[in-house]
Amino acid sequence: MSAIDYFEKIPNNVDLANDKTLQRALEHWQPRFLDWWREMGPNDFASVDVYLRTAVGVDAQGWAHYGTVKMPEYRWGIFLADPIADRAIGFGDSFGQPVWQQVPGEFRSQFRRLIVTQGDTEPASVEQQHRLGHTCPSLYDLRNLFQINVEEGRHLWAMVYILHAYFGRDGREEAEELLARHSGDVDKPRILGTFNEPIEDWLSFFCFCYFTDRDGKFQLKSLAESSFDPLARTCRFMLTEEAHHMFVGETGLGRIVRRTLEVMKQTGSDGPEAVRRQGAVDLPLLQRYLNFWFSSSLDLFGSEVSSNAATTFANGIKGRPDETTQYQDHVCADSTFEIEVPDGKGGVMKDTSPMRNAMNEVLRDAYIRDCEIGLRRWNMQIKRAGHNFELKLPSSRFRRAIGAWANIPTDLEGHPVSREEHDRRMPGWLPSASDRDYVKSLMQRVVEPGKMAAWIAPPERGINNLSLDYEYVRLD
Ligand SMILES: [Fe+2]
Ligand SMILES: [Fe+2]
Protein backbone atom coordinates (compact mmCIF):
# COMPACT_ATOMS: atom_id res chain seq x y z
CA MET A 1 0.00 0.00 0.00
CA SER A 2 2.74 2.44 0.86
CA ALA A 3 4.68 2.07 -2.39
CA ILE A 4 4.24 4.92 -4.81
CA ASP A 5 3.89 4.18 -8.49
CA TYR A 6 6.32 6.46 -10.31
CA PHE A 7 5.65 4.93 -13.71
CA GLU A 8 2.31 6.68 -13.78
CA LYS A 9 1.86 10.13 -15.23
CA ILE A 10 0.60 11.12 -11.79
CA PRO A 11 2.60 9.30 -9.10
CA ASN A 12 0.18 7.90 -6.54
CA ASN A 13 -0.54 5.23 -3.98
CA VAL A 14 -4.31 5.27 -4.49
CA ASP A 15 -4.41 2.83 -7.41
CA LEU A 16 -5.34 5.57 -9.83
CA ALA A 17 -4.71 3.26 -12.80
CA ASN A 18 -7.82 1.31 -11.87
CA ASP A 19 -10.12 4.31 -11.74
CA LYS A 20 -10.08 5.56 -15.32
CA THR A 21 -12.65 8.32 -14.81
CA LEU A 22 -10.76 9.85 -11.92
CA GLN A 23 -7.45 9.38 -13.70
CA ARG A 24 -8.74 11.22 -16.76
CA ALA A 25 -10.13 14.06 -14.65
CA LEU A 26 -6.84 14.51 -12.83
CA GLU A 27 -4.81 14.24 -16.04
CA HIS A 28 -6.97 17.03 -17.36
CA TRP A 29 -6.19 19.17 -14.32
CA GLN A 30 -2.44 18.39 -14.37
CA PRO A 31 -1.44 20.67 -17.31
CA ARG A 32 -3.39 23.51 -15.70
CA PHE A 33 -1.47 22.99 -12.51
CA LEU A 34 1.80 23.10 -14.47
CA ASP A 35 0.71 26.29 -16.24
CA TRP A 36 -0.07 27.80 -12.85
CA TRP A 37 3.34 26.69 -11.51
CA ARG A 38 5.13 28.25 -14.50
CA GLU A 39 3.23 31.49 -14.16
CA MET A 40 2.93 31.92 -10.39
CA GLY A 41 5.68 29.71 -8.91
CA PRO A 42 9.44 30.36 -8.74
CA ASN A 43 9.40 30.65 -12.53
CA ASP A 44 12.71 32.48 -12.90
CA PHE A 45 14.40 29.34 -11.62
CA ALA A 46 12.67 26.83 -13.86
CA SER A 47 15.86 25.61 -15.49
CA VAL A 48 18.15 25.33 -12.46
CA ASP A 49 19.06 22.08 -10.71
CA VAL A 50 17.85 21.90 -7.12
CA TYR A 51 18.73 19.30 -4.49
CA LEU A 52 15.21 18.27 -3.45
CA ARG A 53 13.53 15.51 -1.56
CA THR A 54 10.64 13.72 -3.16
CA ALA A 55 8.19 11.43 -1.39
CA VAL A 56 8.66 7.83 -2.48
CA GLY A 57 6.63 6.10 0.21
CA VAL A 58 4.47 6.96 3.17
CA ASP A 59 6.27 5.14 5.96
CA ALA A 60 7.53 7.50 8.63
CA GLN A 61 11.00 6.02 8.12
CA GLY A 62 12.64 6.39 4.76
CA TRP A 63 9.74 8.03 2.94
CA ALA A 64 11.85 10.47 0.98
CA HIS A 65 14.38 10.30 -1.82
CA TYR A 66 16.94 13.11 -2.24
CA GLY A 67 18.31 14.11 -5.59
CA THR A 68 18.85 16.88 -8.10
CA VAL A 69 15.71 17.95 -9.94
CA LYS A 70 14.57 20.84 -12.11
CA MET A 71 11.48 22.12 -10.35
CA PRO A 72 9.01 21.87 -13.25
CA GLU A 73 9.96 18.17 -13.42
CA TYR A 74 9.20 17.53 -9.75
CA ARG A 75 6.99 14.45 -9.33
CA TRP A 76 3.89 15.95 -7.74
CA GLY A 77 1.51 13.20 -6.83
CA ILE A 78 -1.16 11.80 -4.57
CA PHE A 79 0.03 10.08 -1.43
CA LEU A 80 -2.18 8.97 1.44
CA ALA A 81 -0.87 7.59 4.72
CA ASP A 82 -1.61 3.91 5.16
CA PRO A 83 -5.07 3.15 6.51
CA ILE A 84 -5.41 2.22 10.18
CA ALA A 85 -7.31 -1.07 10.49
CA ASP A 86 -10.76 -0.77 12.13
CA ARG A 87 -10.30 2.93 12.73
CA ALA A 88 -13.25 4.37 14.64
CA ILE A 89 -14.61 7.91 14.83
CA GLY A 90 -12.60 9.65 17.53
CA PHE A 91 -14.88 12.51 18.65
CA GLY A 92 -18.32 14.10 18.44
CA ASP A 93 -21.81 12.62 18.35
CA SER A 94 -20.80 9.47 16.42
CA PHE A 95 -17.85 8.69 18.67
CA GLY A 96 -16.80 5.02 18.43
CA GLN A 97 -18.63 4.22 15.19
CA PRO A 98 -16.65 3.12 12.10
CA VAL A 99 -15.05 5.94 10.09
CA TRP A 100 -16.48 6.88 6.69
CA GLN A 101 -14.92 5.98 3.37
CA GLN A 102 -17.33 8.32 1.56
CA VAL A 103 -18.60 11.77 2.50
CA PRO A 104 -22.05 11.54 4.12
CA GLY A 105 -24.44 13.61 2.00
CA GLU A 106 -25.61 15.76 4.89
CA PHE A 107 -22.04 16.93 5.66
CA ARG A 108 -20.95 17.42 2.10
CA SER A 109 -20.95 21.19 1.97
CA GLN A 110 -19.20 21.54 5.35
CA PHE A 111 -16.47 19.17 4.20
CA ARG A 112 -16.14 20.90 0.87
CA ARG A 113 -15.73 24.31 2.47
CA LEU A 114 -13.01 23.07 4.82
CA ILE A 115 -11.10 21.24 2.08
CA VAL A 116 -11.28 24.21 -0.28
CA THR A 117 -10.12 26.60 2.45
CA GLN A 118 -7.17 24.36 3.30
CA GLY A 119 -6.40 23.76 -0.38
CA ASP A 120 -6.45 27.49 -1.11
CA THR A 121 -3.63 28.23 1.33
CA GLU A 122 -1.18 25.83 -0.38
CA PRO A 123 -0.79 27.54 -3.77
CA ALA A 124 -1.28 30.92 -2.06
CA SER A 125 2.01 30.57 -0.19
CA VAL A 126 3.86 29.64 -3.39
CA GLU A 127 2.48 32.81 -4.97
CA GLN A 128 3.43 34.93 -1.97
CA GLN A 129 7.03 33.69 -2.14
CA HIS A 130 7.38 33.76 -5.87
CA ARG A 131 10.13 36.38 -6.12
CA LEU A 132 12.08 35.55 -2.98
CA GLY A 133 14.63 33.39 -4.77
CA HIS A 134 16.31 36.51 -6.15
CA THR A 135 17.39 37.71 -2.73
CA CYS A 136 18.37 34.44 -1.02
CA PRO A 137 20.85 34.71 1.86
CA SER A 138 22.55 31.44 0.79
CA LEU A 139 22.18 28.46 -1.52
CA TYR A 140 21.14 26.38 1.48
CA ASP A 141 18.24 28.75 2.14
CA LEU A 142 17.36 28.98 -1.53
CA ARG A 143 17.04 25.20 -1.63
CA ASN A 144 14.81 25.20 1.44
CA LEU A 145 12.54 27.81 -0.12
CA PHE A 146 12.17 25.69 -3.25
CA GLN A 147 11.61 22.53 -1.19
CA ILE A 148 8.75 24.24 0.61
CA ASN A 149 7.37 25.57 -2.68
CA VAL A 150 7.24 22.17 -4.39
CA GLU A 151 5.71 20.58 -1.30
CA GLU A 152 3.02 23.24 -1.02
CA GLY A 153 2.34 22.43 -4.66
CA ARG A 154 1.96 18.80 -3.67
CA HIS A 155 -0.38 19.77 -0.83
CA LEU A 156 -2.55 21.42 -3.43
CA TRP A 157 -2.57 18.07 -5.27
CA ALA A 158 -3.55 16.36 -2.03
CA MET A 159 -6.66 18.53 -1.66
CA VAL A 160 -7.50 18.44 -5.36
CA TYR A 161 -7.44 14.66 -5.28
CA ILE A 162 -10.02 14.63 -2.47
CA LEU A 163 -12.18 17.14 -4.34
CA HIS A 164 -12.04 15.17 -7.58
CA ALA A 165 -12.45 11.74 -6.03
CA TYR A 166 -15.27 12.49 -3.59
CA PHE A 167 -17.11 15.65 -4.64
CA GLY A 168 -18.04 14.99 -8.26
CA ARG A 169 -18.67 17.97 -10.45
CA ASP A 170 -18.61 20.48 -7.57
CA GLY A 171 -15.20 19.16 -6.66
CA ARG A 172 -13.88 19.56 -10.19
CA GLU A 173 -15.10 23.15 -10.31
CA GLU A 174 -13.50 23.92 -6.96
CA ALA A 175 -10.22 22.45 -8.22
CA GLU A 176 -10.29 24.88 -11.15
CA GLU A 177 -11.01 27.78 -8.81
CA LEU A 178 -7.99 26.87 -6.67
CA LEU A 179 -5.85 27.84 -9.66
CA ALA A 180 -7.92 30.91 -10.54
CA ARG A 181 -7.69 32.78 -7.23
CA HIS A 182 -4.32 34.43 -6.60
CA SER A 183 -2.63 35.84 -3.54
CA GLY A 184 -3.22 39.58 -3.28
CA ASP A 185 -5.35 39.68 -6.43
CA VAL A 186 -7.83 42.58 -6.28
CA ASP A 187 -10.64 40.69 -8.01
CA LYS A 188 -9.97 37.11 -7.00
CA PRO A 189 -7.88 37.04 -3.85
CA ARG A 190 -7.07 33.96 -1.81
CA ILE A 191 -9.70 33.06 0.80
CA LEU A 192 -7.83 33.88 4.01
CA GLY A 193 -6.33 37.27 4.88
CA THR A 194 -2.79 36.26 5.84
CA PHE A 195 -2.37 34.46 2.53
CA ASN A 196 -2.82 37.73 0.70
CA GLU A 197 0.01 39.48 2.59
CA PRO A 198 3.03 39.95 0.36
CA ILE A 199 6.26 38.20 1.41
CA GLU A 200 9.00 40.31 -0.09
CA ASP A 201 11.88 39.69 2.25
CA TRP A 202 13.36 36.68 4.00
CA LEU A 203 12.65 37.93 7.50
CA SER A 204 8.96 37.84 6.58
CA PHE A 205 9.46 34.45 4.95
CA PHE A 206 10.92 32.92 8.10
CA CYS A 207 8.15 34.53 10.19
CA PHE A 208 5.58 33.13 7.73
CA CYS A 209 7.06 29.62 8.03
CA TYR A 210 7.17 29.92 11.79
CA PHE A 211 3.71 31.39 12.41
CA THR A 212 1.50 30.98 9.37
CA ASP A 213 2.64 27.57 8.23
CA ARG A 214 2.23 26.47 11.85
CA ASP A 215 -1.43 27.40 11.60
CA GLY A 216 -1.44 24.97 8.65
CA LYS A 217 0.10 22.32 10.85
CA PHE A 218 -2.69 22.71 13.41
CA GLN A 219 -5.44 22.72 10.79
CA LEU A 220 -3.96 19.56 9.26
CA LYS A 221 -3.66 17.94 12.67
CA SER A 222 -7.34 18.53 13.34
CA LEU A 223 -8.35 17.33 9.86
CA ALA A 224 -6.14 14.27 10.37
CA GLU A 225 -8.65 13.35 13.12
CA SER A 226 -11.60 13.57 10.74
CA SER A 227 -14.13 10.74 10.49
CA PHE A 228 -13.85 10.97 6.69
CA ASP A 229 -10.95 8.57 6.45
CA PRO A 230 -9.44 9.50 3.05
CA LEU A 231 -9.17 13.12 4.23
CA ALA A 232 -7.60 12.04 7.53
CA ARG A 233 -5.04 9.90 5.70
CA THR A 234 -4.23 12.66 3.20
CA CYS A 235 -3.62 15.15 5.99
CA ARG A 236 -1.56 12.70 8.02
CA PHE A 237 0.92 12.40 5.19
CA MET A 238 0.97 16.16 4.54
CA LEU A 239 2.08 16.61 8.15
CA THR A 240 5.19 14.52 7.45
CA GLU A 241 6.25 17.04 4.81
CA GLU A 242 5.10 19.98 6.92
CA ALA A 243 7.65 19.25 9.67
CA HIS A 244 10.43 20.58 7.44
CA HIS A 245 8.54 23.85 6.90
CA MET A 246 8.36 24.36 10.68
CA PHE A 247 12.08 23.58 10.86
CA VAL A 248 12.91 26.22 8.23
CA GLY A 249 10.94 28.88 10.14
CA GLU A 250 12.34 28.06 13.54
CA THR A 251 15.97 27.65 12.52
CA GLY A 252 15.76 30.66 10.19
CA LEU A 253 14.67 32.98 13.00
CA GLY A 254 17.11 31.29 15.42
CA ARG A 255 19.99 31.94 13.02
CA ILE A 256 19.01 35.60 12.72
CA VAL A 257 19.09 35.90 16.52
CA ARG A 258 22.47 34.15 16.65
CA ARG A 259 23.96 36.49 14.06
CA THR A 260 22.60 39.56 15.86
CA LEU A 261 24.15 38.37 19.13
CA GLU A 262 27.51 37.91 17.40
CA VAL A 263 27.34 41.45 16.08
CA MET A 264 26.37 42.79 19.50
CA LYS A 265 29.36 41.01 20.98
CA GLN A 266 31.79 42.26 18.32
CA THR A 267 30.68 45.87 18.58
CA GLY A 268 30.14 45.76 22.33
CA SER A 269 26.80 47.48 21.89
CA ASP A 270 23.20 46.33 21.85
CA GLY A 271 21.83 49.57 20.39
CA PRO A 272 19.73 49.05 17.25
CA GLU A 273 21.81 51.59 15.32
CA ALA A 274 25.07 49.78 16.11
CA VAL A 275 23.52 46.47 15.04
CA ARG A 276 22.21 48.01 11.84
CA ARG A 277 25.58 49.54 11.01
CA GLN A 278 26.86 45.95 10.81
CA GLY A 279 24.00 44.95 8.54
CA ALA A 280 22.19 42.72 11.05
CA VAL A 281 18.62 42.62 12.37
CA ASP A 282 18.27 44.37 15.74
CA LEU A 283 16.14 42.48 18.24
CA PRO A 284 13.41 45.16 18.60
CA LEU A 285 13.00 45.04 14.81
CA LEU A 286 12.67 41.25 14.93
CA GLN A 287 10.09 41.66 17.72
CA ARG A 288 7.97 43.94 15.50
CA TYR A 289 8.01 41.36 12.71
CA LEU A 290 6.98 38.65 15.17
CA ASN A 291 4.12 40.87 16.36
CA PHE A 292 2.90 41.34 12.81
CA TRP A 293 2.93 37.70 11.67
CA PHE A 294 1.72 36.22 14.95
CA SER A 295 -1.30 38.50 15.23
CA SER A 296 -2.17 38.05 11.58
CA SER A 297 -1.95 34.25 11.88
CA LEU A 298 -4.19 34.14 14.97
CA ASP A 299 -7.15 35.29 12.90
CA LEU A 300 -6.84 32.15 10.77
CA PHE A 301 -8.42 30.13 13.59
CA GLY A 302 -11.68 32.10 13.41
CA SER A 303 -13.96 33.41 16.15
CA GLU A 304 -13.55 32.39 19.78
CA VAL A 305 -17.16 31.28 19.91
CA SER A 306 -18.49 29.72 16.76
CA SER A 307 -21.58 27.66 16.01
CA ASN A 308 -19.80 26.45 12.89
CA ALA A 309 -16.95 25.05 14.99
CA ALA A 310 -19.53 23.35 17.24
CA THR A 311 -21.22 21.70 14.25
CA THR A 312 -18.02 20.47 12.61
CA PHE A 313 -16.93 18.94 15.93
CA ALA A 314 -20.34 17.40 16.71
CA ASN A 315 -20.54 15.93 13.22
CA GLY A 316 -17.09 14.36 13.39
CA ILE A 317 -15.77 16.52 10.56
CA LYS A 318 -12.87 18.30 12.29
CA GLY A 319 -11.41 17.26 15.64
CA ARG A 320 -8.79 18.75 17.89
CA PRO A 321 -5.05 18.27 17.27
CA ASP A 322 -3.98 14.98 18.90
CA GLU A 323 -7.60 14.29 19.86
CA THR A 324 -6.86 10.72 20.99
CA THR A 325 -3.80 11.40 23.11
CA GLN A 326 -4.46 14.89 24.50
CA TYR A 327 -8.06 14.72 25.68
CA GLN A 328 -10.20 12.44 27.85
CA ASP A 329 -13.64 13.66 26.88
CA HIS A 330 -14.09 13.21 23.13
CA VAL A 331 -17.76 14.09 23.02
CA CYS A 332 -17.78 17.40 24.90
CA ALA A 333 -21.55 17.47 25.12
CA ASP A 334 -21.78 19.23 28.51
CA SER A 335 -18.34 20.69 29.18
CA THR A 336 -17.56 24.38 29.01
CA PHE A 337 -14.60 26.60 28.17
CA GLU A 338 -13.73 29.95 29.67
CA ILE A 339 -12.89 32.77 27.30
CA GLU A 340 -11.96 36.42 27.75
CA VAL A 341 -14.09 38.96 25.96
CA PRO A 342 -14.35 42.76 25.97
CA ASP A 343 -16.69 43.94 28.75
CA GLY A 344 -17.96 46.83 26.65
CA LYS A 345 -16.55 49.35 29.15
CA GLY A 346 -12.94 49.30 28.04
CA GLY A 347 -12.02 46.25 30.08
CA VAL A 348 -11.85 42.46 29.91
CA MET A 349 -14.30 39.97 31.37
CA LYS A 350 -14.58 36.22 31.58
CA ASP A 351 -17.31 34.43 29.74
CA THR A 352 -18.23 30.79 29.57
CA SER A 353 -18.97 29.03 26.31
CA PRO A 354 -20.12 25.48 25.62
CA MET A 355 -16.91 23.57 24.83
CA ARG A 356 -18.01 22.62 21.33
CA ASN A 357 -18.57 26.26 20.39
CA ALA A 358 -15.12 27.17 21.69
CA MET A 359 -13.20 24.67 19.54
CA ASN A 360 -11.53 27.42 17.49
CA GLU A 361 -10.18 28.85 20.73
CA VAL A 362 -9.04 25.43 21.93
CA LEU A 363 -7.11 25.05 18.68
CA ARG A 364 -5.70 28.59 18.91
CA ASP A 365 -4.51 27.94 22.49
CA ALA A 366 -2.67 24.80 21.41
CA TYR A 367 -1.13 26.76 18.54
CA ILE A 368 0.04 29.57 20.85
CA ARG A 369 1.71 27.05 23.16
CA ASP A 370 3.52 25.59 20.16
CA CYS A 371 4.62 29.07 19.03
CA GLU A 372 6.15 29.72 22.45
CA ILE A 373 8.65 26.87 22.13
CA GLY A 374 10.88 28.66 19.64
CA LEU A 375 10.76 31.92 21.59
CA ARG A 376 11.94 30.14 24.72
CA ARG A 377 14.88 28.74 22.79
CA TRP A 378 15.84 32.12 21.27
CA ASN A 379 15.47 33.86 24.62
CA MET A 380 17.82 31.33 26.16
CA GLN A 381 20.43 32.26 23.50
CA ILE A 382 19.94 35.96 24.25
CA LYS A 383 20.20 35.43 28.00
CA ARG A 384 23.28 33.24 27.69
CA ALA A 385 24.92 36.00 25.66
CA GLY A 386 24.34 38.26 28.66
CA HIS A 387 21.60 40.53 27.31
CA ASN A 388 18.58 41.74 29.12
CA PHE A 389 16.10 41.42 26.26
CA GLU A 390 13.24 39.03 25.86
CA LEU A 391 11.28 38.26 22.70
CA LYS A 392 7.57 37.94 23.50
CA LEU A 393 4.42 36.86 21.74
CA PRO A 394 1.86 39.64 21.90
CA SER A 395 -1.46 38.94 23.61
CA SER A 396 -3.97 37.06 21.46
CA ARG A 397 -6.21 40.13 21.85
CA PHE A 398 -3.72 42.38 20.04
CA ARG A 399 -4.54 43.55 16.48
CA ARG A 400 -7.28 41.06 15.83
CA ALA A 401 -9.58 41.40 12.82
CA ILE A 402 -11.80 38.40 13.56
CA GLY A 403 -13.67 37.34 16.69
CA ALA A 404 -14.51 39.00 20.00
CA TRP A 405 -11.49 41.30 19.85
CA ALA A 406 -11.88 42.37 16.24
CA ASN A 407 -11.07 46.07 15.89
CA ILE A 408 -10.77 46.63 19.64
CA PRO A 409 -7.60 48.67 20.21
CA THR A 410 -5.29 47.03 22.74
CA ASP A 411 -1.61 47.25 23.56
CA LEU A 412 0.77 44.32 23.10
CA GLU A 413 -0.24 42.92 26.50
CA GLY A 414 -3.87 42.93 25.39
CA HIS A 415 -5.01 45.79 27.64
CA PRO A 416 -7.68 47.84 25.92
CA VAL A 417 -6.40 51.34 25.15
CA SER A 418 -7.94 54.37 23.46
CA ARG A 419 -7.87 54.52 19.68
CA GLU A 420 -5.64 57.58 19.91
CA GLU A 421 -3.08 55.84 22.14
CA HIS A 422 -3.23 52.73 19.98
CA ASP A 423 -2.46 54.63 16.78
CA ARG A 424 0.25 56.71 18.40
CA ARG A 425 2.10 53.66 19.75
CA MET A 426 1.64 51.44 16.72
CA PRO A 427 5.02 52.31 15.11
CA GLY A 428 6.69 50.70 18.13
CA TRP A 429 4.58 47.57 17.77
CA LEU A 430 4.60 46.74 14.07
CA PRO A 431 7.28 47.14 11.38
CA SER A 432 7.32 50.77 10.22
CA ALA A 433 8.00 51.86 6.65
CA SER A 434 11.62 52.57 7.58
CA ASP A 435 11.94 49.14 9.24
CA ARG A 436 10.76 47.57 6.01
CA ASP A 437 13.13 49.68 3.95
CA TYR A 438 16.01 48.65 6.16
CA VAL A 439 15.11 44.94 5.90
CA LYS A 440 14.78 45.36 2.16
CA SER A 441 18.26 46.88 2.00
CA LEU A 442 19.64 43.71 3.61
CA MET A 443 18.17 41.47 0.93
CA GLN A 444 21.24 41.05 -1.26
CA ARG A 445 21.56 37.67 -2.83
CA VAL A 446 24.40 35.41 -1.73
CA VAL A 447 24.95 32.37 -3.95
CA GLU A 448 28.52 31.33 -3.35
CA PRO A 449 28.38 27.77 -1.91
CA GLY A 450 28.73 27.82 1.89
CA LYS A 451 28.53 31.65 2.18
CA MET A 452 25.82 33.43 4.20
CA ALA A 453 24.43 36.94 4.07
CA ALA A 454 25.67 39.20 6.88
CA TRP A 455 22.31 39.21 8.70
CA ILE A 456 22.01 35.48 9.28
CA ALA A 457 24.27 32.86 10.89
CA PRO A 458 24.98 29.59 9.08
CA PRO A 459 22.81 26.59 9.99
CA GLU A 460 24.25 23.92 12.24
CA ARG A 461 24.35 21.36 9.47
CA GLY A 462 23.54 20.89 5.83
CA ILE A 463 20.65 19.02 4.25
CA ASN A 464 20.60 15.21 4.41
CA ASN A 465 24.12 15.02 5.90
CA LEU A 466 25.68 17.03 3.08
CA SER A 467 28.19 19.71 3.95
CA LEU A 468 27.17 23.33 4.24
CA ASP A 469 29.16 24.33 1.19
CA TYR A 470 27.41 21.79 -1.01
CA GLU A 471 25.97 23.44 -4.11
CA TYR A 472 22.30 22.91 -3.19
CA VAL A 473 21.14 24.90 -6.20
CA ARG A 474 23.12 24.96 -9.41
CA LEU A 475 22.27 28.31 -10.84
CA ASP A 476 24.09 28.14 -14.16
FE1 LIG B 1 1.14 22.89 3.07
FE1 LIG C 1 3.83 24.19 4.75
Side-chain angles (χ1 to χ4, degrees):
M1 192 65 207
S2 60
I4 291 171
D5 189 349
Y6 272 95
F7 298 105
E8 291 288 327
K9 203 164 164 191
I10 300 168
N12 71 91
N13 68 348
V14 295
D15 202 14
L16 201 55
N18 281 317
D19 187 341
K20 290 294 171 209
T21 317
L22 179 59
Q23 188 178 26
R24 261 197 307 278
L26 287 166
E27 283 180 3
H28 182 71
W29 188 81
Q30 189 180 41
R32 294 163 196 236
F33 167 81
L34 290 170
D35 284 347
W36 165 82
W37 177 268
R38 274 189 287 268
E39 193 189 334
M40 306 301 292
N43 48 351
D44 299 336
F45 299 86
S47 63
V48 307
D49 289 316
V50 190
Y51 184 73
L52 292 177
R53 74 173 181 192
T54 306
V56 288
V58 293
D59 299 326
Q61 269 81 39
W63 61 274
H65 164 81
Y66 287 83
T68 297
V69 188
K70 292 191 201 320
M71 283 185 281
E73 287 154 29
Y74 191 76
R75 303 292 277 143
W76 286 284
I78 299 158
F79 317 133
L80 271 60
D82 287 337
I84 297 168
D86 304 320
R87 182 173 171 245
I89 294 176
F91 60 94
D93 290 339
S94 306
F95 179 73
Q97 292 175 20
V99 291
W100 314 314
Q101 297 307 327
Q102 293 291 333
V103 184
E106 66 269 39
F107 305 147
R108 210 177 148 84
S109 63
Q110 290 175 54
F111 266 116
R112 197 181 78 190
R113 189 179 48 79
L114 279 175
I115 293 163
V116 166
T117 307
Q118 179 63 40
D120 195 68
T121 65
E122 314 287 358
S125 66
V126 176
E127 294 167 353
Q128 285 171 290
Q129 296 158 16
H130 123 116
R131 293 191 52 78
L132 273 183
H134 292 290
T135 55
C136 63
S138 72
L139 285 183
Y140 166 91
D141 290 292
L142 185 61
R143 177 266 168 205
N144 285 345
L145 167 71
F146 292 157
Q147 183 70 60
I148 292 177
N149 289 165
V150 293
E151 284 174 351
E152 301 303 8
R154 207 207 63 75
H155 292 176
L156 171 61
W157 270 96
M159 292 296 120
V160 162
Y161 161 70
I162 296 285
L163 288 169
H164 271 243
Y166 297 96
F167 291 85
R169 191 205 186 132
D170 295 350
R172 289 195 293 279
E173 282 169 9
E174 294 286 12
E176 298 290 319
E177 286 297 302
L178 284 170
L179 297 175
R181 286 184 292 270
H182 296 312
S183 179
D185 194 287
V186 194
D187 301 318
K188 267 184 167 259
R190 290 295 175 183
I191 296 171
L192 300 169
T194 317
F195 292 89
N196 289 301
E197 297 283 359
I199 303 179
E200 281 157 355
D201 63 76
W202 284 73
L203 179 52
S204 297
F205 170 65
F206 290 129
C207 288
F208 178 93
C209 292
Y210 190 78
F211 291 114
T212 312
D213 235 11
R214 190 176 307 273
D215 155 71
K217 168 182 158 183
F218 277 77
Q219 302 300 340
L220 290 176
K221 268 175 164 289
S222 45
L223 291 174
E225 302 289 336
S226 180
S227 315
F228 176 35
D229 203 43
L231 176 64
R233 289 170 54 204
T234 302
C235 292
R236 239 186 320 130
F237 186 65
M238 290 163 77
L239 282 163
T240 317
E241 293 167 310
E242 206 60 52
H244 176 67
H245 311 181
M246 302 296 103
F247 166 86
V248 169
E250 179 170 346
T251 54
L253 293 173
R255 288 161 55 207
I256 294 174
V257 171
R258 186 140 55 88
R259 177 61 191 147
T260 302
L261 294 172
E262 278 169 19
V263 165
M264 281 154 69
K265 194 173 172 192
Q266 281 159 15
T267 56
S269 164
D270 58 4
E273 303 74 29
V275 171
R276 289 194 186 191
R277 269 196 298 278
Q278 303 302 314
V281 176
D282 52 286
L283 296 177
L285 172 63
L286 174 60
Q287 178 68 64
R288 290 192 285 280
Y289 271 75
L290 300 183
N291 294 344
F292 177 87
W293 285 101
F294 177 67
S295 54
S296 176
S297 304
L298 287 179
D299 275 338
L300 296 170
F301 292 88
S303 293
E304 288 80 355
V305 178
S306 155
S307 56
N308 220 342
T311 322
T312 50
F313 185 85
N315 293 344
I317 293 171
K318 183 181 173 187
R320 290 167 291 187
D322 308 303
E323 179 69 48
T324 338
T325 52
Q326 288 298 307
Y327 302 93
Q328 252 104 57
D329 174 10
H330 301 297
V331 180
C332 302
D334 329 292
S335 49
T336 56
F337 189 83
E338 205 166 78
I339 49 167
E340 288 173 331
V341 293
D343 66 1
K345 295 175 281 187
V348 186
M349 67 174 205
K350 299 231 187 271
D351 198 5
T352 305
S353 157
M355 180 65 86
R356 287 181 171 187
N357 294 66
M359 285 305 172
N360 288 343
E361 194 59 14
V362 171
L363 205 63
R364 184 161 30 232
D365 275 355
Y367 165 81
I368 293 172
R369 283 196 300 277
D370 207 48
C371 287
E372 280 163 354
I373 296 172
L375 272 90
R376 273 203 295 278
R377 210 164 282 161
W378 307 327
N379 283 331
M380 202 105 80
Q381 282 178 260
I382 299 171
K383 202 170 159 196
R384 253 193 254 122
H387 297 283
N388 190 10
F389 185 96
E390 211 179 306
L391 295 165
K392 288 194 189 97
L393 292 179
S395 160
S396 61
R397 305 197 284 263
F398 173 70
R399 201 176 83 96
R400 292 292 302 283
I402 288 174
W405 292 92
N407 304 315
I408 302 226
T410 80
D411 63 13
L412 289 177
E413 285 75 39
H415 305 125
V417 294
S418 71
R419 177 69 60 189
E420 183 277 326
E421 181 183 348
H422 175 264
D423 294 352
R424 179 167 44 80
R425 293 176 64 191
M426 194 48 99
W429 294 340
L430 293 185
S432 64
S434 78
D435 286 343
R436 291 193 184 278
D437 285 346
Y438 173 67
V439 170
K440 204 171 163 197
S441 77
L442 297 181
M443 298 298 125
Q444 307 293 334
R445 96 189 186 135
V446 177
V447 293
E448 202 181 312
K451 283 261 159 18
M452 297 287 141
W455 53 270
I456 191 163
E460 270 162 33
R461 59 187 69 86
I463 294 295
N464 195 28
N465 295 322
L466 290 176
S467 66
L468 261 190
D469 56 7
Y470 181 79
E471 202 174 354
Y472 290 100
V473 183
R474 257 173 255 139
L475 286 170
D476 37 22

